[in-house]
Amino acid sequence: MEGNANSIEMDKERLTAEMDFNKDSSSAVIRIKQHLPDFLQSVKLKYVKLGYGYSCNPATILLFLLIAPLFASVLVQLTGVDITRFVTEVWSNQAVRLESMDAATRLAGSGLVLFFLALYWSKRSRPVYLVNFSCCKPDEERKMSMEAFLKMTEETGAFSSESIEFQRRISNRSGLGDETYLAPGITSKPPKLSIDEARSEAESAMFGALDSLFKKTGVNPKDIDILIVNCSLFNPTPSLSAMIVNHYKLKTDIKSFNLGGMGCSAGLISIDLAKDLLKALPNSYAVVVSTESITLNWYFGNEKSMLLPNCIFRSGGAAVLLSNKSKDRNRSKYELVHTVRTHKGADERSYHCVYQREDDKGKVGVSLARELMAVAGDALKTNITTLGPLVLPFSEQFFFFVTLLRKKISNAKVKPYIPNFKLAFEHFCIHAGGRAVLDEIQKNLNLTERHMEASRMTLHRFGNTSSSSLWYELAYAEAKGRVGRGDRIWQIAFGSGFKCNSAVWRAIRPVVEGDQLGNPWMDCIDRYPVKVPVAL
């Protein structure tokens, strides 16, 4: 019994976050090499069932196994067709010509053909195409080197010497480089923390991405039918989506949505929402805009759990054009294959692990709890278990499922079979939330440095740009000329709540290297990848 208790304590220690506070909360020990939980050790069968449910809808099964045979039976009874004679003729290899059939047989056959054609047409999934996307690249004067960031932090006078040293240690091992971008409101001396500055930051990111998107696609803004904007921490009135409608003079019946407070995974939530709307609205264009505003959300206090976002979050934004028009297929880059969303908000620990609050001095910031790594691992486990049946080859699914059943039936310690997701995807776009998270995901999924390159280089060049980071990563792969026809891309992101969301795309055509407009990498791609120093 004592041995079991020690084992539990060891598991808890392995699940701690990147830092550990002393009892008096006066200092913190940084644990950059803490591990995500081994989510493949405790897979739940219900999430596997959920994955198969996505690919095999029960209503469709009922339709084919019950309704279709019943319809055929009624049709035969009404027309008086002699099924036995017809089958005997076919079985005996006699010629069965249309002119040799009586009128009732021809009617029955035509009816069945029309029924199944109508059934297929009504149940088929309308394709959703990604025509193109653009990422905002802020002005050069907004660049912020690591040294400049630490100097700015010290010169504000808002932080204690201990907090400054804490941010220095975090920054040195964060994986960020010297060319990330910050908002002018924060870098001004003194900082200009006004709603006007926040609006200006949001407009710069959104309009910058949208201008290049409309230019490279040739789509008139007035032809947009659906607009979805996501920004977690800045939600003014009128909304950000209304700002876009006003700026581009979009049409009055546009379906506009503004998603707030949903964290870094909100970009994929917006894609999923756009997919559902495009299925309901044929012959439509949808634009998704993902950004984050830092100006009013910079923390000027000394609580260490709330200082972490200052060290890793930077400015950015992206805009994506989606279409369900068949004429757009040939010019589109990707087709949306799957979206899988996981929400762990029912669990209190998951709900509070990324939480906006006031510190004891009344300073507002976002607190990252020490359980964050454990919560992220649990959400990731659920998400990929649901996604697996949709994307993995049959051989991988078979071995994984057999191992899972053995463990459930025998209730014994069975070495888990780790599915090879490298067989399902050519490109991995993992949210660049932080260096430690990327390290552990790479380890758990057995990914190579090549698979992680887009995520690591995005973190180094642009920092954590929240929900838009996935598009900077895909832009990196395109700038390198690595995306070929038929390639499969997996985008996966984490967000407050706590959420883990995935999107799977398939490249319709090779992406031409050198598509400069809207690609923030084109002036520096030759310098990448770079070796990111490992700080102890």
Side-chain angles (χ1 to χ4, degrees), residues 81 257 323 478:
V81 175
F257 302 84
S323 172
E478 289 187 357

Side-chain angles (χ1 to χ4, degrees), residues 109-119:
S110 301
L112 281 173
V113 170
L114 291 175
F115 170 77
F116 284 111
L117 284 175
L119 182 64

Side-chain angles (χ1 to χ4, degrees), residues 180 188 285 287:
T180 60
S188 298
Y285 281 125
V287 165

Side-chain angles (χ1 to χ4, degrees), residues 283-352:
N283 201 39
S284 299
Y285 281 125
V287 165
V288 171
V289 179
S290 298
T291 189
E292 192 55 82
S293 179
I294 303 176
T295 301
L296 293 180
N297 297 286
W298 201 255
Y299 178 60
F300 287 94
N302 291 295
E303 191 165 325
K304 292 179 174 62
S305 66
M306 302 168 76
L307 284 170
L308 290 171
N310 286 13
C311 301
I312 60 176
F313 279 91
R314 296 294 185 264
S315 297
V320 183
L321 177 64
L322 302 173
S323 172
N324 59 9
K325 302 180 181 183
S326 56
K327 69 176 183 179
D328 285 324
R329 176 179 172 82
N330 290 335
R331 74 177 185 131
S332 297
K333 287 184 174 179
Y334 307 99
E335 180 179 346
L336 182 60
V337 183
H338 301 293
T339 54
V340 174
R341 293 170 56 179
T342 300
H343 202 311
K344 291 288 186 176
D347 175 68
E348 291 298 321
R349 186 180 67 160
S350 300
Y351 176 72
H352 286 98

